């Protein structure tokens, strides 16, 4: 659990740094959460394919549900700020 937290913090700061330096874009906390969740889905899917195990399918499905809700809330957040 500690390693997951550590890697999540590293990913958070790397995504923020890359978005500021490379794209000159400041991301909101909602967008950062969405990007990190997409990265988690991709990582779990990769591990599922690598190990050939169907047991990791449930976490992927459970992560896609918050992604749909995050996409909706990000859209509402952007509309309110525009």
């Amino acid at each position: 659990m500690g390693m997951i937290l550590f890697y999540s913090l590293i990913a958070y700061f790397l995504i923020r740094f890359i978005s500021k330096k490379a794209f000159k874009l400041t991301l909101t906390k909602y967008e950062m959460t969405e990007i990190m969740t997409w990265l988690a889905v991709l990582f779990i899917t990769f591990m599922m394919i690598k190990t050939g195990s169907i047991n990791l399918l449930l976490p992927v499905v459970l992560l896609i549900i918050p992604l749909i809700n995050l996409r909706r809330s990000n859209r509402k957040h952007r509309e309110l700020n525009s």
Side-chain angles (χ1 to χ4, degrees):
M1 193 64 134
M3 291 302 288
I4 293 171
L5 179 64
F6 177 71
Y7 288 133
S8 296
L9 284 173
I10 289 175
Y12 177 81
F13 288 113
L14 277 176
I15 293 168
R16 177 171 269 181
F17 179 75
I18 291 170
S19 70
K20 280 185 182 178
K21 297 297 180 184
F23 302 111
K24 307 284 191 258
L25 180 68
T26 303
L27 299 174
T28 65
K29 67 178 181 178
Y30 301 108
E31 293 166 336
M32 288 293 298
T33 306
E34 184 179 3
I35 291 170
M36 289 181 63
T37 310
W38 272 113
L39 288 174
V41 166
L42 291 174
F43 177 74
I44 292 172
T45 305
F46 173 75
M47 291 305 293
M48 185 174 70
I49 293 170
K50 181 180 169 188
T51 61
S53 172
I54 196 84
N55 294 336
L56 292 175
L57 185 62
L58 182 63
V60 169
V61 171
L62 292 177
L63 281 173
I64 289 176
I65 295 168
L67 277 175
I68 294 168
N69 292 335
L70 273 172
R71 178 46 73 204
R72 288 180 187 158
S73 66
N74 281 346
R75 193 174 302 135
K76 288 179 186 176
H77 190 262
R78 270 187 249 121
E79 288 173 359
L80 289 176
N81 287 339
S82 296

